[in-house]
Amino acid sequence: MTSLSLRLIALLCLASPLIGQELKLLTAETNDVDISTQHKGELTLRTTGEDPQVVFELANAGKAQAGAYFLALEYFCPDGVDFVEVFYAAERPFDWSQSRQLEGGSLPKAEAWQPYSIDLQLGSKGKWTVKDGIFRIDFGRKSGLELQIRNIHLRAPTAQELISSEEAEAQLLAKTENAAKLDHYLTYAPTPGEVHKVTVDAENIHITGSVEPNTNGELRIVEYEPHESPWAMNGGRILPTPALDHEFSVKVPRYIGERDRLTNRYAIVELVDSKAKLISRAVWPSDVSGTAERDMPRLYPTNKKGLGGIELKPGIFEQDLSDLGITASTVNFSLGPILQKSANPIEYIHQGKTYTFDGNKMKEFDKKISWMTQNDIVVSAILLVDKNAEALVHPNYNTAGIYSMADMTDQESTDAYRAVVSFLAERYSRPDREHGWITHWIVFNEVDYGWIWTNMGEQPMALYMDTYNKAMRLTWLEARRFNPTAEVFISLTHHWQYSPADKFRAYPPRDLIDRMALYSEQTGDYNWGVAYHPYPQSLLKPRTWEDTKATAEFDTRYITPKNIEVLDAYLHQPQFLHQDK
């Protein structure tokens, strides 16, 4: 059986739960498990032996509803569960025989609540019936495991779960083939032509490059909008400039009407018999110092004390930050609430279009960011695309994700993302510090665990990072318009080098950082940074000095406080330096 077929038997994290018939815990039937109930019905399970069993029954003691044949729950387990088994019964005494058992796959590591579901009909080969309302779930064969579960229920399948294994396999195959094309585009060498640099100033865009002398066709510049993909031969417009020499320098106006070409890419094409052949990679602007509309100082925290995810709590906010000696903070910007309709809208014009943002929500941000700036606290914004962020949500977003990847698939969505970043960057870089200053922009959260924190559906790493790179570039380019010292950061977990259980949902951070360096080398360098989350090896065990898999090697499994120097050493390699710094 293929892995994709197994994915349909034990469908992990494919969609948020559709609430159906609730199941209740039969405490007396548990085995090798200590269970405690937390708030909102959450169950904390600690396995005490090698045969942990938890039994549930339909809450209404009736039969399952027709069409509700998915057993579903949500779980939190930083260490994961190697395998799950499900047994079913219709009545007491329970018959927990192998003939009434389903293989439930595994529970991948989950450092946030994640849905799990299993198709009872498919997994039992049609043996399970609506009369079978009692379920025993076995969570592995390991003592000392801790996990939390909640919202255990039966429900109908989602639309995604009704996709056949053949169709799902075909979709992933197409994505894999596209990823191979993208890899070839980025790594093919040597290319006949090369755009050396794209520089943007207040009025013009300057493009320099060269082409091998034996290239005989007519040479022209092709321009790509942010959402277009040169590697896929998607989009592009040949500029009405004279044919290029083999060494060239071209200047084009920065603006076409009200549209700013600041975020466009430029490549070289060879025209033969009126057909265009791409002979270079498309390059982003890498020098935009001439676009800065303001002067801003480079901000540095005055000590090492930072606080994450600061919220405004009247009466304790200011005093706590002062007492703790905080000089750096992060602030979460969920973009959905900012985009919601408001009785107090703020209008902002970008690319000739008027966008509106929630003035009341912005007042909350203004108050805390202004206070922190006045008290010399350096603020880093974490940009988060929640599911209510309208045009910003990626079309392949699966609701298993807490947040979405930004939509970079069309002009409307990329314009909308640029507008949000531009609005925030302008507001929080005013010389008079009216609303406070933001100097760092962290683009999304823990992108290596994309399925949970920056969801784009199931994707090969190459396609996932191509979209993420666009979002990073757009953030950097828009922020630098107002603050020439603004910096962007990729957010990563404490994982480092490993083979994920599902390579279409999670990616090793080391590979992502290497990919970022490749984009800088081949498509225009810029100074991006790393916002690492060096948690202990297990989120449930803070004794980080006992981390056995955090070693002083570049291929360490984790980077934690125990071996944080590995990250610093890795990023001091030449390919990660920007202008030798």
Side-chain angles (χ1 to χ4, degrees):
M1 185 176 290
T2 67
S3 60
L4 282 165
S5 299
L6 286 172
R7 195 177 283 120
L8 287 168
I9 292 177
L11 280 154
L12 302 176
C13 317
L14 277 174
S16 60
L18 304 177
I19 303 303
Q21 293 177 276
E22 180 185 358
L23 299 179
K24 62 181 181 180
L25 174 68
L26 300 181
T27 305
E29 302 298 331
T30 60
N31 182 70
D32 284 350
V33 180
D34 285 338
I35 300 179
S36 59
T37 303
Q38 311 299 324
H39 64 289
K40 299 181 180 179
E42 296 172 2
L43 301 178
T44 295
L45 282 58
R46 295 179 179 87
T47 62
T48 58
E50 297 181 354
D51 190 20
Q53 304 172 10
V54 187
V55 181
F56 298 92
E57 183 178 25
L58 280 175
N60 296 326
K63 299 176 182 178
Q65 296 174 355
Y69 55 89
F70 269 69
L71 175 63
L73 55 83
E74 293 174 287
Y75 76 98
F76 177 94
C77 186
D79 297 322
V81 180
D82 53 1
F83 74 95
V84 175
E85 288 182 296
V86 176
F87 296 80
Y88 55 91
E91 57 188 13
R92 296 171 177 80
F94 304 131
D95 177 17
W96 302 131
S97 69
Q98 293 297 314
S99 65
R100 302 173 68 81
Q101 175 259 358
L102 296 79
E103 296 292 339
S106 64
L107 297 184
K109 295 182 178 184
E111 297 174 351
W113 285 102
Q114 279 293 286
Y116 166 88
S117 60
I118 180 170
D119 185 334
L120 298 172
Q121 289 185 352
L122 184 61
S124 68
K125 298 181 180 179
K127 294 180 182 178
W128 178 85
T129 71
V130 294
K131 296 179 181 179
D132 298 309
I134 304 169
F135 302 93
R136 188 188 102 189
I137 306 177
D138 293 11
F139 293 103
R141 290 286 184 270
K142 182 179 178 182
S143 179
L145 176 72
E146 182 172 327
L147 72 153
Q148 293 175 284
I149 60 175
R150 68 184 184 189
N151 193 23
I152 304 96
H153 60 284
L154 291 183
R155 61 164 173 80
T158 66
Q160 182 68 26
E161 289 165 342
L162 292 173
I163 293 177
S164 68
S165 59
E166 291 79 9
E167 185 178 351
E169 191 165 3
Q171 290 176 358
L172 282 182
L173 179 61
K175 292 177 181 179
T176 302
E177 290 173 348
N178 281 335
K181 293 177 184 177
L182 174 55
D183 283 339
H184 178 76
Y185 166 82
L186 283 175
T187 60
Y188 175 77
T191 56
E194 182 181 356
V195 174
H196 299 313
K197 191 171 185 180
V198 178
T199 303
V200 186
D201 59 32
E203 300 294 336
N204 296 296
I205 297 173
H206 307 267
I207 308 156
T208 60
S210 62
V211 182
E212 292 180 352
N214 60 357
T215 307
N216 298 318
E218 182 181 347
L219 305 174
R220 303 287 288 274
I221 293 289
V222 60
E223 178 180 48
Y224 292 93
E225 295 272 355
H227 66 281
E228 297 174 327
S229 298
W231 61 269
M233 304 305 289
N234 172 17
R237 181 176 71 95
I238 296 176
L239 298 185
T241 58
L244 305 176
D245 295 327
H246 290 286
E247 298 280 343
F248 66 86
S249 178
V250 174
K251 181 175 71 174
V252 297
R254 176 177 164 184
Y255 293 92
I256 299 179
E258 294 182 282
R259 290 197 64 81
D260 187 353
R261 303 160 88 178
L262 169 68
T263 59
N264 291 356
R265 285 168 287 171
Y266 299 89
I268 308 167
V269 293
E270 179 185 17
L271 295 178
V272 179
D273 297 330
S274 300
K275 292 184 179 179
K277 177 184 177 182
L278 188 67
I279 63 169
S280 81
R281 283 177 271 271
V283 172
W284 299 85
S286 58
D287 183 353
V288 294
S289 55
T291 69
E293 300 176 16
R294 300 166 182 168
D295 288 326
M296 284 280 290
R298 173 67 171 85
L299 303 180
Y300 295 93
T302 56
N303 64 34
K304 296 180 180 180
K305 293 185 177 180
L307 195 62
I310 284 181
E311 294 294 336
L312 182 62
K313 296 183 178 180
I316 63 173
F317 171 79
E318 300 89 346
Q319 191 65 45
D320 279 2
L321 295 184
S322 177
D323 289 348
L324 290 169
I326 298 299
T327 64
S329 75
T330 61
V331 175
N332 294 333
F333 275 85
S334 290
L335 300 181
I338 297 173
L339 293 167
Q340 297 305 306
K341 297 290 187 292
S342 169
N344 180 28
I346 299 174
E347 293 188 346
Y348 187 76
I349 298 175
H350 189 271
Q351 297 287 78
K353 180 178 178 180
T354 300
Y355 295 84
T356 58
F357 303 102
D358 187 340
N360 293 329
K361 190 66 179 177
M362 293 312 303
K363 283 183 179 179
E364 297 176 19
F365 287 114
D366 294 348
K367 185 173 182 180
K368 60 184 174 184
I369 294 170
S370 176
W371 186 90
M372 286 190 284
T373 299
Q374 292 168 11
N375 287 272
D376 298 322
I377 297 175
V378 178
V379 179
S380 300
I382 303 176
L383 302 177
L384 301 167
V385 180
D386 51 287
K387 63 183 179 181
N388 298 318
E390 301 174 347
L392 304 184
V393 177
H394 196 280
N396 294 135
Y397 167 68
N398 186 294
T399 52
I402 296 174
Y403 297 105
S404 171
M405 176 69 78
D407 185 2
M408 297 283 140
T409 61
D410 57 36
Q411 187 178 86
E412 179 185 6
S413 59
T414 52
D415 279 358
Y417 182 77
R418 288 179 61 188
V420 172
V421 174
S422 178
F423 168 71
L424 295 175
E426 188 283 326
R427 190 174 188 85
Y428 295 114
S429 63
R430 295 178 185 176
D432 61 3
R433 307 199 297 181
E434 178 184 1
H435 303 300
W437 282 348
I438 292 176
T439 189
H440 296 156
W441 302 89
I442 300 171
V443 182
F444 316 144
N445 184 54
E446 297 192 337
V447 297
D448 56 306
Y449 257 41
W451 186 257
I452 298 176
W453 291 111
T454 308
N455 189 290
M456 189 178 154
E458 291 188 306
Q459 300 288 344
M461 185 269 282
L463 299 185
Y464 181 83
M465 283 302 290
D466 194 58
T467 299
Y468 183 73
N469 179 61
K470 290 179 180 179
M472 284 280 279
R473 299 276 186 164
L474 297 185
T475 306
W476 183 75
L477 290 165
E478 289 291 345
R480 288 248 159 171
R481 281 181 54 206
F482 304 103
N483 179 358
T485 68
E487 296 180 324
V488 295
F489 295 81
I490 179 173
S491 170
L492 300 166
T493 67
H494 57 159
H495 299 273
W496 181 246
Q497 186 60 33
Y498 72 113
S499 297
D502 192 328
K503 64 181 180 180
F504 297 109
R505 297 182 179 185
Y507 318 96
R510 176 176 166 175
D511 290 358
L512 301 196
I513 292 177
D514 290 346
R515 194 75 173 188
M516 293 290 293
L518 177 64
Y519 272 109
S520 289
E521 177 187 359
Q522 302 291 11
T523 65
D525 198 11
Y526 70 116
N527 54 336
W528 51 273
V530 176
Y532 217 79
H533 294 178
Y535 298 118
Q537 182 174 310
S538 170
L539 297 188
L540 302 176
K541 300 173 182 177
R543 298 167 65 91
T544 186
W545 53 92
E546 297 178 354
D547 291 343
T548 59
K549 296 181 180 180
T551 59
E553 301 165 318
F554 279 167
D555 61 354
T556 178
R557 175 63 179 81
Y558 294 93
I559 289 180
T560 78
K562 181 181 178 181
N563 67 336
I564 189 66
E565 70 277 4
V566 172
L567 180 65
D568 181 62
Y570 195 80
L571 292 174
H572 270 84
Q573 297 179 96
Q575 66 268 34
F576 298 108
L577 303 183
H578 179 253
Q579 297 177 353
D580 296 324
K581 297 180 180 179

